[in-house]
Amino acid sequence: MVELVLALNAGSSNLKCALFEAGGEEPTEVGRTKVDIHGPMADAAAVAELLAWAQALHPSGRLVAVGHRVVHGGASFQEPTLVDEPVLAMLDELSPLAPLHQPQSLATIRAVTTARPDLPQAACFDTAFHRTLPAVATRFGLPRGFHDAGVRRYGFHGLSYEHIAERLRMLDPAMAAGRVIVAHLGSGASLCAMINGRSIDTTMGFSPLDGLVMNTRCGELDPGVVIYLQNHQGLTIAEVQDLLYRRSGLLGVSGISGDMRELLSSSAANAREAVDLFVFRVARNVGALAASLGGIDGIVFTAGIGENSPAIRALIAERLSWLGLSLDDAANQRGGQGRIDSVGGRLAAWVIPTDEERMIAKQTLATAARGRPGKPRAAQ
Ligand code: AMP
């Protein structure tokens, strides 16, 4: 009987899901779907719907494992792990570090445990890919006791970056072996600097709030602003959290939408300002990460905006022409996966679609094969 693995990727308001056949070197995709999550019974109902969907899609297959994207693994979880109650309790403790994402992933894991207690489940961490960050890239300028207690830079979007690193190795091995910046530009957005496919710097730090301007998240912000908002504008901590996670970014600056498509099609000046800020911050941080890399050989665009918006890619390239980035207009407009730099450019540029669910499936199968919940590594 064909063995199947279900990959679940819980966002703040929906649950993406993909079903794969195990066996062979790579899992084979059977299909994918997405359900919205609303209301208190949401997680159980969504999981029931997805389990029924998987069964109907492949009636002769047998589900052998479920994998989940878990945004924060903290300092302890540096590789995927099977989930049991002690692991879940440790992951619960990390929820304040990613309040929009972590509780949703954990609720989904618990809903699967209730529906199918027989199935092994793996937690696949967005932070884990960044375990190779050099110590200097993990540190804030805070007293060292805070770092030792876990207040440090972790980095996110690791499942996406690992997938892109693998794909790039196949598509352009010479570039993959060099100094590459991957721009994961979606609702959440970050950059990762890689040398030979290993993360050496990234724009998100302690939480998914840091770095680039995002759909509703502010990105990098002078910490003095947070103190000021509380001391002088009377915002409570909960209000600050809501402001920075849900009401800022493209939505906050434009006052129109956090959706890049809508902003690009709007003629409002505020929409244009939000787009300009997004592009400015991407370009500025590419410059910063190029310094971390000691030079740059190529750039990869991925995720919703990075994959689908020639206009944003062109605006970013315009600001990075000094670095030697020059796009081929026709290739940039064509869409889909492919190389998009122009012949005269110094930097290679690719568009490569991301696939977090495939990475979840791969990690889950490998983790399930190893068996028993992974012992987290000691914090460093
Ligand atoms: P993701 O979180 O990776 O699904 O990306 C979602 C973001 O991608 C949203 O801001 C969308 O507006 C944006 N997006 C998707 N398609 C396009 C497109 N054709 N042009 C510009 N932005 C797009």
Side-chain angles (χ1 to χ4, degrees):
M1 187 181 263
V2 178
E3 297 195 331
L4 303 170
V5 59
L6 193 66
L8 298 180
N9 184 347
S12 47
S13 61
N14 65 42
L15 186 54
K16 286 194 237 166
C17 167
L19 184 67
F20 295 85
E21 279 185 8
E25 255 178 50
E26 281 272 323
T28 309
E29 183 177 322
V30 183
R32 54 180 71 217
T33 187
K34 189 160 80 171
V35 293
D36 290 333
I37 304 172
H38 307 287
M41 274 305 291
D43 305 308
V47 161
E49 191 178 327
L50 292 176
L51 289 170
W53 168 83
Q55 171 74 45
L57 196 62
H58 202 316
S60 62
R62 185 172 71 90
L63 196 57
V64 295
V66 178
H68 302 262
R69 173 179 173 217
V70 175
V71 167
H72 221 305
S76 301
F77 293 101
Q78 303 206 339
E79 43 198 58
T81 180
L82 285 182
V83 176
D84 61 5
E85 269 309 319
V87 167
L88 267 182
M90 291 177 73
L91 296 177
D92 271 333
E93 285 178 19
L94 297 169
S95 284
L97 310 194
L100 224 58
H101 302 87
Q102 191 90 342
Q104 191 54 58
S105 302
L106 302 186
T108 308
I109 293 174
R110 290 193 161 98
V112 173
T113 307
T114 305
R116 290 289 305 271
D118 55 308
L119 283 177
Q121 296 186 69
C124 306
F125 301 103
D126 257 338
T127 44
F129 182 70
H130 302 289
R131 61 185 166 264
T132 51
L133 287 178
V136 70
T138 68
R139 201 170 268 287
F140 290 119
L142 290 171
R144 47 193 319 121
F146 286 94
H147 179 93
D148 299 342
V151 185
R152 42 156 285 187
R153 302 186 72 251
Y154 294 97
F156 297 88
H157 291 133
L159 297 168
S160 174
Y161 290 133
E162 191 163 348
H163 175 78
I164 298 296
E166 281 188 6
R167 294 290 301 145
L168 191 62
R169 219 168 279 135
M170 290 157 68
L171 293 164
D172 190 341
M175 175 174 158
R179 299 161 300 180
V180 171
I181 293 179
V182 179
H184 177 109
L185 308 178
S187 310
S190 70
L191 305 178
C192 179
M194 299 180 191
I195 296 180
N196 196 15
R198 291 157 69 91
S199 172
I200 63 110
D201 199 0
T202 188
T203 56
M204 273 184 180
F206 176 70
S207 75
L209 265 187
D210 200 5
L212 306 179
V213 169
M214 292 167 250
N215 61 344
T216 63
R217 283 173 260 166
C218 59
E220 61 200 1
L221 184 75
D222 179 341
V225 172
V226 177
I227 300 169
Y228 174 82
L229 291 175
Q230 291 181 54
N231 276 350
H232 297 284
Q233 297 232 337
L235 270 68
T236 64
I237 291 170
E239 285 166 345
V240 171
Q241 177 170 306
D242 185 58
L243 173 72
L244 303 186
Y245 273 97
R246 295 181 193 272
R247 298 197 287 122
S248 297
L250 296 173
L251 172 66
V253 173
S254 70
I256 296 170
S257 170
D259 189 307
M260 185 58 92
R261 259 170 311 201
E262 281 187 44
L263 297 181
L264 287 170
S265 62
S266 165
S267 56
N270 290 353
R272 184 70 213 183
E273 261 186 41
V275 172
D276 286 348
L277 178 63
F278 180 86
V279 169
F280 171 80
R281 290 283 190 84
V282 171
R284 194 169 76 147
N285 278 282
V286 167
L289 293 195
S292 300
L293 288 166
I296 170 171
D297 301 308
I299 185 163
V300 179
F301 293 95
T302 193
I305 300 169
E307 290 167 29
N308 300 307
S309 180
I312 295 291
R313 293 193 298 257
L315 289 168
I316 292 169
E318 216 173 277
R319 279 194 173 271
L320 292 173
S321 59
W322 64 275
L323 254 185
L325 180 59
S326 165
L327 302 187
D328 179 280
D329 222 18
N332 184 38
Q333 295 293 335
R334 203 176 299 129
Q337 177 177 289
R339 193 160 168 173
I340 59 169
D341 51 298
S342 67
V343 176
R346 204 188 58 71
L347 292 193
W350 279 86
V351 174
I352 303 179
T354 196
D355 193 343
E356 291 168 323
E357 292 75 25
R358 171 172 294 277
M359 189 48 66
I360 294 169
K362 283 176 76 163
Q363 293 189 356
T364 298
L365 287 167
T367 308
R370 277 202 306 273
R372 63 185 182 75
K375 246 209 159 99
R377 285 194 200 158
Q380 42 174 295

